[in-house]
Amino acid sequence: MRLSRYFLPVLKETPSEAQIVSHRYMLRAGMIKQSSAGIYSWLPLGFKVLRKLENIVHEEQVRAGHVPMLMPTLQSADLWRESGRYDGYGAEMLRMKDRHERDMLFSPTAEEMFTDVFRSHVKSYKDLPLTLYQIQWKFRDEVRPRFGVMRGREFFMKDGYNFDLTKEDALHAYNRHLVSYLRTYERMGLQAIPMRADSGPIGGDYTHEFLVLAETGESEVFYDSEITDLKFGDRAIDYDSVEECQAVLEEFTSRYARTDETHDEAAFTDVPEERRRTARGIEVGQIFYFGTQYSEAMGATVQTPDGANVPVHMGSHGIGVSRLLGAIIEASHDDKGIIWPEGVTPFHVGIVNLKQGDEEADAACEALEKSFEALGLEPLYDDRKERAGGKFATMDLIGLPWRITVGPRGLKNGVVELTSRRTGESEELSPEEAVKKVAEIYANHRVSGL
């Protein structure tokens, strides 16, 4: 992609309404534009990252054996009355009537819709276990939307729902989701700590939130510092193995880690004093097991081997996909701009031409561009007739992990400059060596389509 042909409306000044780093940089980097309070247009750069995050979530859900589908954003109020949640959900639910005066709502979550699909088509225990999920836009009418995509009213979310014959089967689904979420967040360059949480309006006795530590987090969190040393890494997991998934859950949840809503000061004092930590956290996902709460209310039953009809055991599992952009930026930035982890960067490498119009420099940049594209990598070539300082500032602001600088002086010596956005370190390499090094870096970070 040539920057002269791309739509990247960067801002030099920070808009006054932006209170936290991620909101400031997403506006300044031309990723989003506010449409109304808590609702944003996703501009090309922001949309590109959003799709990369969506693909990672899809890949890890499918890897875990979960089945994707898509539900409507508008739902009938009748389903919510059936479950008993319509009147109790509160003012966050956007209610409306259609032209026939039927009560409708803009989906804040989709337990009822998925339960209705399940009960309409699944009648036997032989069709279990089953986990269905979607990645879809949701709406919650926050009283004070703020912090950009971190607390907006409209948001892009993965929500999944498991249907199982027994509580033991459903708890295995819970553990399976925890494993898949750990893999998902690490691929995005995040450490998201599973913490004991409150179930809120969804209900249920088993629930963990996944929180990314950041100074601007909305939740106060308390944890044993040992948990920050845990990494899931590249280990192979058999998602059908109850023992393997249970072992991962125990490894990542046996140490103290709770949000302020469930914090137990007495239990916290059992943690050695030197390992007790208090911080702020950003919620990026949550998993629930809530038993037969919805299946009993809505008649979602299956026939058992002995012919009895029993309500299925259920859980729901969410990841805030759009919210993740803000969380990643909060966790990975400096005073110049964003620093994207390699797994989610909108473009893999930036190419800066220091002397646009110079025949040799132009040819070298075009050759680099073609070399990366041939390897399946996406370069962003800054071919604008701008000052070098302005080009560097743009690249730093949008946060591509690697930058190749091309100029007549270096080319005379047969080299270009490869710079790491994270460390600021540069090295001179031949163009071929620079391409090879960037390709090797991304070999373990490729994001493919579903």
Side-chain angles (χ1 to χ4, degrees):
M1 176 58 68
R2 304 284 179 96
L3 196 49
S4 63
R5 301 174 191 171
Y6 198 58
F7 182 61
L8 187 67
V10 297
L11 305 175
K12 291 184 179 179
E13 302 297 327
T14 299
S16 58
E17 72 270 21
Q19 300 176 9
I20 62 172
V21 167
S22 59
H23 193 192
R24 291 198 297 270
Y25 283 155
M26 289 185 77
L27 290 170
R28 285 196 55 213
M31 299 180 71
I32 56 173
K33 180 184 183 301
Q34 182 169 302
S35 173
S36 59
I39 301 175
Y40 294 88
S41 297
W42 288 80
L43 306 182
L45 194 72
F47 182 64
K48 196 169 179 60
V49 180
L50 188 68
R51 283 290 175 243
K52 291 209 169 189
L53 298 179
E54 180 185 9
N55 279 344
I56 291 174
V57 174
H58 271 306
E59 288 170 4
E60 294 305 328
Q61 287 300 296
V62 170
R63 186 197 297 266
H66 307 156
V67 183
M69 57 181 297
L70 191 65
M71 291 293 194
T73 56
L74 294 181
Q75 300 182 11
S76 167
D78 291 341
L79 283 175
W80 284 68
R81 291 192 177 105
E82 200 175 335
S83 72
R85 287 208 299 171
Y86 184 68
D87 294 322
Y89 198 88
E92 286 187 353
M93 181 188 288
L94 182 62
R95 296 165 167 86
M96 66 203 79
K97 291 183 182 291
D98 66 14
R99 67 192 300 166
H100 301 292
E101 293 298 306
R102 290 180 292 231
D103 290 325
M104 306 290 289
L105 58 99
F106 195 124
S107 172
T109 182
E111 282 81 3
E112 285 79 3
M113 287 289 292
F114 275 85
T115 304
D116 182 53
V117 166
F118 176 88
R119 71 181 178 182
S120 299
H121 299 286
V122 180
K123 304 299 180 185
S124 170
Y125 74 96
K126 295 178 182 178
D127 296 319
L128 302 180
L130 178 65
T131 294
L132 304 172
Y133 79 93
Q134 66 170 344
I135 301 179
Q136 177 61 294
W137 291 99
K138 305 286 194 304
F139 189 91
R140 293 176 189 166
D141 201 0
E142 294 274 357
V143 63
R144 284 185 299 276
R146 55 197 176 121
F147 302 156
V149 300
M150 297 287 289
R151 183 167 286 183
R153 294 193 295 165
E154 185 182 52
F155 54 95
F156 200 46
M157 180 179 174
K158 173 260 164 180
D159 51 325
Y161 305 87
N162 65 282
F163 303 88
D164 290 279
L165 184 61
T166 66
K167 178 178 180 179
E168 291 71 27
D169 292 340
L171 289 178
H172 173 55
Y174 185 96
N175 297 350
R176 192 173 65 239
H177 278 86
L178 182 135
V179 175
S180 70
Y181 279 22
L182 290 171
R183 284 185 56 94
T184 297
Y185 296 126
E186 285 195 15
R187 280 186 63 185
M188 295 174 180
L190 288 172
Q191 182 176 47
I193 302 171
M195 297 193 177
R196 183 80 62 84
D198 182 65
S199 62
I202 290 178
D205 297 325
Y206 294 78
T207 181
H208 282 85
E209 283 181 355
F210 292 78
L211 289 105
V212 174
L213 300 179
E215 293 179 3
T216 52
E218 74 272 53
S219 300
E220 187 175 17
V221 297
F222 305 82
Y223 63 96
D224 181 336
S225 64
E226 277 194 346
I227 203 166
T228 58
D229 297 327
L230 299 177
K231 297 287 186 295
F232 188 84
D234 295 327
R235 68 181 84 175
I237 289 289
D238 178 0
Y239 281 103
D240 291 328
S241 169
V242 171
E243 293 76 16
E244 287 188 33
C245 292
Q246 178 67 27
V248 173
L249 175 120
E250 290 174 0
E251 177 185 354
F252 280 84
T253 64
S254 60
R255 296 164 182 82
Y256 191 94
R258 297 195 181 193
T259 64
D260 51 0
E261 295 170 319
T262 60
H263 177 53
D264 183 336
E265 189 62 35
F268 193 46
T269 58
D270 291 337
V271 177
E273 186 174 359
E274 68 275 10
R275 300 203 321 248
R276 289 180 217 153
R277 298 288 186 275
T278 303
R280 308 296 297 181
I282 300 169
E283 182 199 343
V284 292
Q286 190 163 4
I287 57 177
F288 302 85
Y289 161 72
F290 41 67
T292 59
Q293 175 180 336
Y294 294 95
S295 55
E296 285 184 348
M298 299 182 67
T301 63
V302 294
Q303 191 173 63
T304 64
D306 59 10
N309 281 312
V310 298
V312 292
H313 287 256
M314 292 176 57
S316 70
H317 317 275
I319 290 179
V321 180
S322 55
R323 185 182 178 84
L324 274 167
L325 270 83
I328 290 170
I329 294 170
E330 291 294 332
S332 185
H333 69 272
D334 60 18
D335 58 2
K336 295 178 181 178
I338 302 164
I339 306 173
W340 291 115
E342 279 84 353
V344 300
T345 179
F347 295 94
H348 296 99
V349 60
I351 301 172
V352 172
N353 189 340
L354 293 180
K355 194 171 183 181
Q356 194 70 37
D358 178 85
E359 186 175 342
E360 189 177 2
D362 291 355
C365 288
E366 290 170 12
L368 285 167
E369 184 181 29
K370 289 177 182 176
S371 295
F372 283 119
E373 289 172 347
L375 293 169
L377 298 175
E378 293 183 281
L380 180 63
Y381 171 22
D382 191 344
D383 60 337
R384 300 172 301 161
K385 293 188 181 214
E386 295 266 346
R387 293 181 301 104
K391 291 187 174 187
F392 291 146
T394 296
M395 285 293 175
D396 285 342
L397 175 61
I398 66 175
L400 307 187
W402 297 93
R403 184 187 77 223
I404 294 178
T405 304
V406 180
R409 185 180 301 174
L411 290 174
K412 285 181 182 177
N413 297 319
V415 297
V416 296
E417 186 178 69
L418 178 64
T419 303
S420 165
R421 175 69 181 88
R422 186 167 298 279
T423 66
E425 295 176 356
S426 298
E427 61 179 321
E428 291 186 338
L429 301 166
S430 71
E432 295 76 17
E433 289 172 332
V435 170
K436 182 181 178 182
K437 180 164 184 176
V438 172
E440 288 173 350
I441 290 166
Y442 280 106
N444 297 321
H445 292 286
R446 199 66 59 86
V447 178
S448 60
L450 182 63

